Amino acid sequence: MAIKLEDKDFKCISSSYSIMTINMNVKPPDKNNPAPDAAKRRELVISAIKDFPASVIFCQEVTQTLLKEVVKNCGPGDYEFAFTDKQAAVMWRRSDFEGDRQFLKGTDSSSTKITESLKEKKSDEDVSEVRTRTAMVKLTSVKTCASFLAVS
């Protein structure tokens, strides 16, 4: 007996996605931090994302203003992002994932578990700001229906 598979049966089998992590440090240079020109760095960040469009992008040292500019210039409607106001963000391609921002709340049980886990491991790192400095979003693949927690 042959089993007939339909297109919908293949939707939840498997898929792969590209991932990028990027430090968007675009603070203007000053005498203590002789960083490259902020405008040039912004152009470089946008160019990198356009040239290598990842499904999920983990961003560090970023502002919400810059994220909006990046999203606008990398294809309006292509990307969405979750941001914490503490220089961390997760961007994702809307054609690949649906995002649920419920994990951004500093009191969310998932972020509390992460903090407690770090404390239990007696990490040398200061974990007092982990929840406020961490961008989290639950991403669900539009192709496979699988979900995961993306944390930057």
Side-chain angles (χ1 to χ4, degrees), residues 10-57:
F10 289 97
K11 183 176 181 181
C12 294
I13 294 177
S14 69
S15 196
S16 64
Y17 301 97
S18 57
I19 296 173
M20 177 187 293
T21 181
I22 188 166
N23 182 324
M24 295 185 176
N25 183 8
V26 292
K27 298 173 188 168
D30 61 31
K31 64 182 178 182
N32 297 326
N33 182 20
D37 178 61
K40 288 181 184 177
R41 279 206 54 123
R42 271 195 306 277
E43 289 175 21
L44 183 60
V45 165
I46 291 168
S47 175
I49 294 172
K50 280 182 166 181
D51 290 346
F52 305 99
S55 298
V56 181
I57 304 172

